[in-house]
Amino acid sequence: MSTLPSPSLPVAAGSSDNKQNFQLLTTIEDAYEGVIVEIKEPMDSAAFVFSLRASMSNWRRQGKKGFWIKLPIEQANLVHPAVQEGFWYHHAEPNYLMLVCWLPDTVNSIPINATHRVGIGAFVMNEKREVLVVQEKSGRFRGTGIWKFPTGVIDEGEDIFAGAIREVKEETGIDTEFTEVLAFGQTHKSFFQKSDLFFVCMLRPLSFDIQKQDLEIEAAQWMPIEEYAAQPLINKHELLKNTLEICLAKIRKGYNGFSPVPTKSTFSGGKSYYLYSNTKDLNRQSSSGKES
């Protein structure tokens, strides 16, 4: 990305100090004919408006489309002036707010903010055919007496398999090795009207002595899978019932899930990520001489 120039321009007539100079806002170009402004130093609101107006005129001449302003929380005084100049909220994080503006007389093609949260449910079974289950102190199952699989939300920048391992460790103290994604589902209008992606993950236990988390977990234990399946609420709750059937298909019928395959993307500077696929069938094809 290249940095656009920031020449000095005179303050408009009528300002409190006609001798004062201000600069075009320093920007970097994005990959979609837009520019990103990141405010790092404190700015007076009036000076910011002068700089912003001049910068927007300059961006128009250059044929730029989407204009982004990243405001740190310390510069909250600049939010209202930016909104007055036609910017709107795009997204917010704990330490900054992102504003955006679309200038061309065309359909706005700025992507919306991230729409999904990613969660996991962990199916962990030992050699005795006992599953790792918990009772929660909060949430929709609080006070119901239901035993359920450990669940949680993936942290920002965390891979699905790593998040599943972490959540099991945090809730129960059990160390695990990730095996497969058995299934996933999508629900809408959930957390602050966002959608949820939920991944049912199978993990192999590496330790067995439970040390439950006191803050969120009421109880944790190893339970025979037949006893878990016999809970009345399991059969009444369609999601729990279908999840259990998939897990049983894995241990009884050889159902194949999806395992993480390390992959690099040439489209994102060679960054590494994981592609989840049915590696067992891929390995069968490779060993038989067919294309994989």
Side-chain angles (χ1 to χ4, degrees), residues 60-253:
R60 283 190 183 95
R61 289 193 296 270
Q62 295 178 0
K64 300 302 178 184
K65 296 180 179 178
F67 309 149
W68 304 82
I69 299 179
K70 183 178 181 180
L71 288 178
I73 195 169
E74 296 82 4
Q75 300 301 315
N77 63 303
L78 304 182
V79 172
H80 181 67
V83 171
Q84 292 294 100
E85 296 302 314
F87 283 77
W88 64 86
Y89 299 149
H90 186 267
H91 66 272
E93 295 294 338
N95 60 347
Y96 77 87
L97 174 71
M98 187 70 81
L99 299 163
V100 68
C101 180
W102 179 262
L103 281 190
D105 295 326
T106 58
V107 176
N108 180 353
S109 63
I110 291 174
I112 62 174
N113 185 27
T115 59
H116 286 71
R117 184 178 63 164
V118 179
I120 63 94
F123 171 54
V124 185
M125 188 171 70
N126 61 25
E127 294 181 352
K128 300 177 182 178
R129 291 175 58 86
E130 296 171 330
V131 291
L132 183 63
V133 293
V134 299
Q135 289 182 339
E136 295 178 334
K137 289 184 176 180
S138 60
R140 67 187 64 181
F141 295 118
R142 179 184 60 180
T144 63
I146 185 71
W147 291 96
K148 58 181 286 292
F149 296 158
T151 57
V153 177
I154 301 299
D155 290 339
E156 183 178 3
E158 184 177 44
D159 288 303
I160 293 170
F161 74 90
I165 292 172
R166 174 185 55 77
E167 284 290 347
V168 172
K169 179 68 173 180
E170 288 180 356
E171 292 192 1
T172 68
I174 297 297
D175 295 309
T176 58
E177 177 183 48
F178 186 89
T179 305
E180 295 176 345
V181 169
L182 297 180
F184 69 91
Q186 183 181 29
T187 58
H188 303 289
K189 302 296 182 181
S190 181
F191 186 72
F192 287 109
Q193 299 301 301
K194 300 296 184 180
S195 298
D196 274 347
L197 286 172
F198 184 76
F199 291 82
V200 180
C201 302
M202 182 175 182
L203 300 96
R204 183 173 68 87
L206 300 177
S207 64
F208 304 93
D209 294 330
I210 293 175
Q211 297 178 358
K212 77 174 183 69
Q213 180 193 67
D214 291 331
L215 180 63
E216 298 177 353
I217 304 301
E218 185 69 37
Q221 68 174 35
W222 292 102
M223 175 181 286
I225 194 166
E226 294 80 10
E227 183 179 341
Y228 171 82
Q231 296 181 96
L233 188 58
I234 295 294
N235 292 310
K236 294 179 181 179
H237 194 286
E238 194 167 359
L239 174 60
L240 297 178
K241 180 181 178 182
N242 290 341
T243 299
L244 175 62
E245 288 178 352
I246 292 169
C247 295
L248 291 175
K250 174 63 184 178
I251 62 176
R252 293 174 179 174
K253 302 177 183 179

